[in-house]
Amino acid sequence: MPDRDDTTARLAWLARVPLFQGLGPDALVRVADLAHPAGRAAGAYFFQEGEQADEFFMLTDGRVRLTQVTPDGHQIVLRLAGPGDVFGGVGTFGYPTYHVSAEAVTPSRALAWTSPRMRELLEAEPGVALNALHFVAGQLYDLQQRHRELMTERVERRIARAVLRLVQDAGRRVDAGIAIDFPVSRQDLAELTGTTLYTVSRCLSSWEERGIVRSGRQRIVLVQPESLLAIAEDLPPPSLRSLRPRNDP
């Protein structure tokens, strides 16, 4: 049984997480008491694709890369999870094995529930079940958006959108601009956007030459947000937009 300080910390986390929003204090205590801590070093896995799906996780610290291997052996990055995100829930809904792998990008900690315990919570707390449905719908929408981008947009736009999403999710102000606050490799960006390492490297090199970003080994700093947004939205560069006549459509 967790001690009082541990339970208080868990309750503070749970109250901020969309999956458990709307629950009363007693229900939150029940949810917290059923959880157990889980931690992984950078590079270690919470679980791997094909393993028995026996736990459901909510990340409290760190970053987790969710990946899947295609039938021809290529790895795809599906999502980069941050604090407050949940993952590994397929066992809760009756699937026997995990469909993805969850690798800690940085030292990471999570709260975990066994799949049977999480099923009990869904049955006992309709609010949690409804929140879970909203979460699944949101993930489906995101996947549909990425599929649309993959099918219809230029690769430079896709890469720009991916960088902007990462900055929005994990941006940290630094002297040069806004840094993505965890290691992101060019290969990660290639897998997120359905392109090649060569193409990502070519785009980043071009953006560096134009002063839009600075990049290094698994590090990206966004220097000119407006310029990258213009690429993502297929707009004229900011300097040209400011010169456009007012009556120009």
Side-chain angles (χ1 to χ4, degrees), residues 178-199:
I178 308 173
I180 298 173
D181 200 21
F182 63 94
V184 179
S185 70
R186 297 186 175 193
Q187 184 62 42
D188 287 335
L189 285 177
E191 294 173 8
L192 276 169
T193 55
T195 188
T196 64
L197 176 60
Y198 170 78
T199 301

Side-chain angles (χ1 to χ4, degrees), residues 97-150:
T97 59
Y98 292 114
H99 298 165
V100 301
S101 297
E103 178 190 6
V105 178
T106 62
S108 300
R109 292 178 294 177
L111 293 177
W113 295 263
T114 65
S115 295
R117 290 291 195 187
M118 185 53 67
R119 278 196 296 272
E120 290 176 15
L121 286 173
L122 291 175
E123 292 171 359
E125 298 292 341
V128 177
L130 184 59
N131 290 341
L133 183 60
H134 284 304
F135 170 77
V136 172
Q139 292 299 304
L140 178 60
Y141 175 78
D142 289 343
L143 288 174
Q144 289 172 333
Q145 288 291 98
R146 285 181 56 186
H147 181 71
R148 180 189 60 78
E149 291 171 9
L150 187 63

Side-chain angles (χ1 to χ4, degrees), residues 72-108:
D72 58 357
H74 289 95
Q75 178 175 277
I76 301 170
V77 176
L78 298 175
R79 184 161 61 99
L80 289 164
D85 287 339
V86 296
F87 57 96
V90 294
T92 302
F93 300 102
Y95 292 94
T97 59
Y98 292 114
H99 298 165
V100 301
S101 297
E103 178 190 6
V105 178
T106 62
S108 300

Side-chain angles (χ1 to χ4, degrees), residues 16-249:
R16 297 197 300 266
V17 174
L19 182 63
F20 301 113
Q21 284 183 353
L23 294 185
D26 292 342
L28 282 175
V29 169
R30 190 180 312 117
V31 172
D33 286 345
L34 292 174
H36 59 274
R40 300 291 188 274
Y45 287 84
F46 282 90
F47 53 81
Q48 295 195 52
E49 186 177 352
E51 291 181 346
Q52 183 175 345
D54 52 8
E55 287 188 301
F56 179 94
F57 298 90
M58 183 195 77
L59 197 63
T60 59
D61 188 50
R63 294 281 165 177
V64 170
R65 181 190 292 114
L66 300 173
T67 62
Q68 195 172 60
V69 177
T70 65
D72 58 357
H74 289 95
Q75 178 175 277
I76 301 170
V77 176
L78 298 175
R79 184 161 61 99
L80 289 164
D85 287 339
V86 296
F87 57 96
V90 294
T92 302
F93 300 102
Y95 292 94
T97 59
Y98 292 114
H99 298 165
V100 301
S101 297
E103 178 190 6
V105 178
T106 62
S108 300
R109 292 178 294 177
L111 293 177
W113 295 263
T114 65
S115 295
R117 290 291 195 187
M118 185 53 67
R119 278 196 296 272
E120 290 176 15
L121 286 173
L122 291 175
E123 292 171 359
E125 298 292 341
V128 177
L130 184 59
N131 290 341
L133 183 60
H134 284 304
F135 170 77
V136 172
Q139 292 299 304
L140 178 60
Y141 175 78
D142 289 343
L143 288 174
Q144 289 172 333
Q145 288 291 98
R146 285 181 56 186
H147 181 71
R148 180 189 60 78
E149 291 171 9
L150 187 63
M151 294 295 102
T152 63
E153 295 183 356
R154 292 182 299 108
V155 66
E156 187 181 30
R157 290 188 68 189
R158 300 204 308 266
I159 298 170
R161 285 179 185 272
V163 172
L164 287 171
R165 279 193 288 259
L166 292 172
V167 167
Q168 183 178 27
D169 183 47
R172 175 174 56 87
R173 286 281 180 185
V174 295
D175 290 341
I178 308 173
I180 298 173
D181 200 21
F182 63 94
V184 179
S185 70
R186 297 186 175 193
Q187 184 62 42
D188 287 335
L189 285 177
E191 294 173 8
L192 276 169
T193 55
T195 188
T196 64
L197 176 60
Y198 170 78
T199 301
V200 170
S201 296
R202 186 183 62 189
C203 282
L204 288 178
S205 295
S206 172
W207 296 346
E208 285 188 87
E209 290 175 2
R210 294 150 63 185
I212 297 173
V213 302
R214 293 183 184 177
S215 66
R217 181 175 173 80
Q218 296 193 330
R219 177 176 172 82
I220 298 174
V221 178
L222 179 55
V223 181
Q224 297 179 20
E226 278 199 1
S227 296
L228 193 61
L229 182 61
I231 294 171
E233 299 299 332
D234 210 16
L235 299 171
S239 58
L240 296 181
R241 278 186 284 161
S242 64
L243 297 175
R244 176 176 289 181
R246 184 175 300 175
N247 61 353
D248 191 10

